[in-house]
Structures are given as structure tokens and as C-alpha cells.
Amino acid sequence: MTRTVRIAYLIDTISSDKAGTEKQLLNILKRLPMDALVICLHDSPWLAANRLPCDVVTLGYRGFLTPGFPFVLASYLRLLKERNIDIVQTFFEDSMFVGFLGKVLSRRRHALVVSRRDLGLGSDEPAYHGLFRKIRPHVFRLCDGIAVNAHAIKAHVAAYEQVPAGKITVIGNGLDLPVPPPVLPSLFRESKADVWIAIAANLKPIKRIDLLVRALAHLKNNGVKDVVRAVVLGEGRLESELTHLATDLGIGDRVHFVGAVENVSDYLYGADIGVLCSDKEGLSNAILEYMACGLPVVATDAGGNGELVNEMNGACVPTGDHVALAHALARLIESPRLRKELGAHSLEKVRQNFTWDKVLPQWENFYDSLAKGLARGNNPVENTHAEA
């Protein structure tokens, strides 16, 4: 960047360093030479137990319809002034709403960036987000830039929110290439299989892990003789329901729920195929992690999945179709050579496009454009820098 800018990252909270958005933000904070401040709407146990590489302020937010919200907003406006903030970048809907009001009410001129990293939460979306959908067009008109991590999200925002495409910048997710573990997790020694399938996802409806369970049952019941097991890397309220589904379909001994794990890549190096079968996605960190471990990938054609997965490194199948998922898996199960070939393409695609040394310069250019726009007193972002 041509100069260090004062940037505030406004986020609901940071409750983990494993969740996709939070993980990306924490890596940016570690790597970019910025005068940064993290503003969290509310506290979390993770924040209390961990130190960030910059100052962190929490606002005590309990909801925008609560009596304390005016005090939260006043504290936020005071921070903008006292810290001389140049850029505010918001994550998630509640923070977007607070950032929007701050842009309207603050006497401190600053650039507002809205991050969009998915196409919605499906049935997990809180009811009050219906109000945010009505507010979003006003937010997008007022903000100075919209940062998305997939071209599918850019197209969606441009079409459905009627935002000029030039206001939307695509910067893909970054990651570090993992190192194979010296010893694979004990699961792979204790439960023998011809092929291991891994899925890294929270156990919630939008991730549709039930599709993988049904696909595995379809494979078993339709002539696939190989012993195929799946390891589910994630936790959530659907674990009991999914466990019962696997048992009812006769594959309870082949689906292994190991919960949230510290190092996902340790398990991915023991797997042969990575799967993601969500109904909605942005640019999936899980798929990138599969690819970084040299796995072929089978994913539903949701959101940005098709930007990561094609016939060169796997297959995209229609959402909600467990039979199509089973057929794509069968093709890979039957051919170790094909798995190796497609997995090599996965790894090369990550190296060329998604390591942090490729992604960080795009963020630097983006923030630099915003800062220059503020100095000129005009619209900071109109695609003046490269996109991923």
C-alpha cells in the first residue's frame, strides 16, 4: 500500500479461529501492515481467551431493537472519531446495519465496505434478517465498495440488489499450504476402508450432509463393492439426526462423526475424496482445504463451488440430488489413477490462485484504492485494481 490507513473491522463477534469468515479476517490482521482496530458488537469466550495482533473493542450489542442500542451506536460513533478511522469493513448482517448507521450519522468522513461472503444462511437465517433485506439496497447505494469472495456472489448482488458491477470487488479466500502430519489420526488405522471420503462442514441444514449419507447408502446398495467410509469434520445440532439417518440406511458403521478438530488437514491427508454438498455457498474454505491437500472434489453446484471445482479436479453436481452425488463419487471410487490426477490439478489450482502471497496484494490494492478515493473526495472504488 502507498500509505498505512486506519481501518476498523466491524464484526458481530469472533467466536472461533476455525470458522471461514473469522479465519480469513484473522489472517489478514496478521499479514497486512495496517493500523487496524477490530470492533465486535459483542464479546465471546474465544475473544476473552485469545489475543489479536491489534486492539479489540466490544460494544455490548444485544440487538438493534433493544433499549441499549442507542448507547451501542453512540460508542461506535465515538470510536470512529477518536481513532480517526479511514475505512470500516463490515462482516455479517448486524454489523452491516451498524456500519450503515455509522456512515449516515458520523461526522468523520470514512469509506464503508460491506463484505458479502455467502448467498444466505437458508433456514438458519434469523427472522429479523427479513428487515435487513429491505435495508440492504440503501446500504449498498451508500457504501463505497462491496467485497465478495466469489464471482457468483458478485453476479447475485449486481442482479438482485441492483448494484453497479464496478462497485463490487472479488477477492478470493487465502490459505497456507498445509504440511502432511507425521502420523495420520487413529481413525484411519482403526476403521479400514478402500476409499475414505471427507466432508468438513458444520452440522446444520444448509450444509446438507444428509445428501452424503444417502449417497453412501446408494453406493452400497447399487453394486459398489469397495468399502467406502466417510469422516465428518464438524459439529452442530444435527449430529443425532444424521447418525440416526445413517443407521436407518444401513451404513451407521461407515459414517464417522469426529466433531470439530484442531487440524482439519490431518484428516484430509488420510482421505481420498473431498465432498461438499451445501444448498448455498460463497467461496468455500472447505473445498480450498481439500484442494490444498491434493484431493479431488465432488461438490454441489452452489454459489462459488463451480469456480473451484470442474472436470479438471472433480465434479459439480446439482444441489439436493444424492443420486447424482453418488454417481460422481462412484467414478472416483473406481479409479485410483483418476483420483491422483484430479487431486494434482486441485493442488496446482490452489498454488496458482489462493495462497496468501497471491491474495494479500489484492487486499492491499483494494484498501489503497479506498484511501486514494478518500483523499480525492470521490467514489473510492471503481474496479481500479485486479480481481481474483
Side-chain angles (χ1 to χ4, degrees):
M1 288 188 285
T2 57
R3 73 174 184 88
T4 300
V5 299
R6 293 174 294 273
I7 182 167
Y9 293 100
L10 178 61
I11 188 169
D12 294 10
T13 194
I14 301 176
S15 56
S16 167
D17 58 358
K18 303 294 186 297
T21 296
E22 292 90 330
K23 188 174 183 179
Q24 292 294 304
L25 172 56
L26 292 170
N27 273 284
I28 290 172
L29 289 170
K30 282 194 305 184
R31 288 171 163 84
L32 280 185
M34 302 177 301
D35 184 1
L37 170 69
V38 172
I39 304 175
C40 293
L41 296 187
H42 55 86
D43 208 346
S44 76
W46 189 91
L47 278 172
N50 292 273
R51 291 181 61 86
L52 270 64
C54 66
D55 289 344
V56 180
V57 178
T58 57
L59 299 178
Y61 175 83
R62 300 263 187 276
F64 70 95
L65 295 178
T66 61
F69 181 68
F71 299 99
V72 168
L73 188 57
S75 297
Y76 173 64
L77 293 171
R78 186 166 58 251
L79 278 171
L80 295 180
K81 180 180 178 182
E82 292 176 353
R83 299 297 185 106
N84 294 317
I85 297 300
D86 297 307
I87 300 168
V88 173
Q89 183 169 348
T90 71
F91 300 88
F92 307 133
E93 300 280 4
D94 292 64
S95 294
M96 178 194 73
F97 178 72
V98 173
F100 167 67
L101 290 179
K103 178 76 169 179
V104 172
L105 299 174
S106 177
R107 295 181 181 179
R108 165 82 185 168
R109 186 173 183 274
H110 62 278
L112 176 65
V113 177
V114 175
S115 294
R116 284 292 301 271
R117 301 182 60 82
D118 58 46
L119 295 175
L121 301 174
S123 60
D124 287 340
E125 193 167 77
Y128 65 84
H129 281 195
L131 176 60
F132 287 160
R133 282 192 290 274
K134 296 179 181 179
I135 296 172
R136 271 204 304 257
H138 304 287
V139 177
F140 290 157
R141 278 196 294 270
L142 183 70
C143 73
D144 301 285
I146 301 168
V148 303
N149 61 356
H151 290 278
I153 300 178
K154 177 176 180 175
H156 178 87
V157 171
Y160 291 97
E161 310 287 358
Q162 298 183 346
V163 176
K167 202 173 192 177
I168 308 169
T169 299
V170 181
I171 302 177
N173 295 349
L175 81 166
D176 294 309
L177 291 176
V179 177
V183 179
L184 292 175
S186 60
L187 172 66
F188 299 104
R189 298 189 298 276
E190 296 167 355
S191 302
K192 299 300 182 182
D194 297 304
V195 174
W196 276 97
I197 295 171
I199 182 168
N202 293 323
L203 278 57
K204 55 186 181 181
I206 198 169
K207 294 299 182 179
R208 293 303 307 272
I209 296 172
D210 63 294
L211 290 178
L212 176 58
V213 175
R214 294 181 189 280
L216 290 174
H218 184 90
L219 291 170
K220 182 181 178 183
N221 297 331
N222 286 273
V224 175
K225 297 180 180 180
D226 298 89
V227 177
V228 181
R229 296 184 183 273
V231 56
V232 183
L233 306 167
E235 59 188 4
R237 68 181 188 273
L238 295 184
E239 181 172 348
S240 177
E241 178 181 320
L242 291 166
T243 300
H244 284 115
L245 176 64
T247 300
D248 292 344
L249 293 174
I251 56 168
D253 61 335
R254 295 194 178 190
V255 183
H256 303 264
F257 296 90
V258 299
V261 297
E262 184 66 26
N263 293 309
V264 170
S265 62
D266 289 357
Y267 285 85
L268 297 182
Y269 275 114
D272 302 285
I273 305 168
V275 167
L276 197 72
C277 36
S278 311
D279 283 339
K280 293 184 179 182
E281 278 294 339
L283 194 77
S284 168
N285 280 307
I287 291 179
L288 286 172
E289 289 172 336
Y290 304 158
M291 294 167 63
C293 292
L295 293 181
V297 181
V298 178
T300 46
D301 191 12
N305 290 355
E307 297 168 35
L308 299 176
V309 183
N310 56 30
E311 68 280 357
M312 295 296 294
N313 68 328
C316 277
V317 300
T319 57
D321 189 339
H322 76 275
V323 175
L325 179 62
H327 288 166
L329 289 171
R331 176 170 171 261
L332 293 173
I333 289 166
E334 293 166 359
S335 176
R337 180 196 61 78
L338 182 62
R339 294 199 301 269
K340 183 176 181 180
E341 178 183 316
L342 300 188
H345 282 292
S346 280
L347 179 56
E348 185 59 24
K349 189 169 185 176
V350 167
R351 284 177 171 156
Q352 292 295 324
N353 298 284
F354 297 104
T355 55
W356 279 111
D357 65 314
K358 304 292 185 181
V359 172
L360 280 179
Q362 297 171 52
W363 281 114
E364 290 181 313
N365 290 340
F366 180 63
Y367 294 136
D368 197 35
S369 296
L370 290 164
K372 289 177 178 177
L374 284 172
R376 291 193 303 265
N378 57 14
N379 187 3
V381 177
E382 281 295 338
N383 276 351
T384 57
H385 49 280
E387 292 188 347

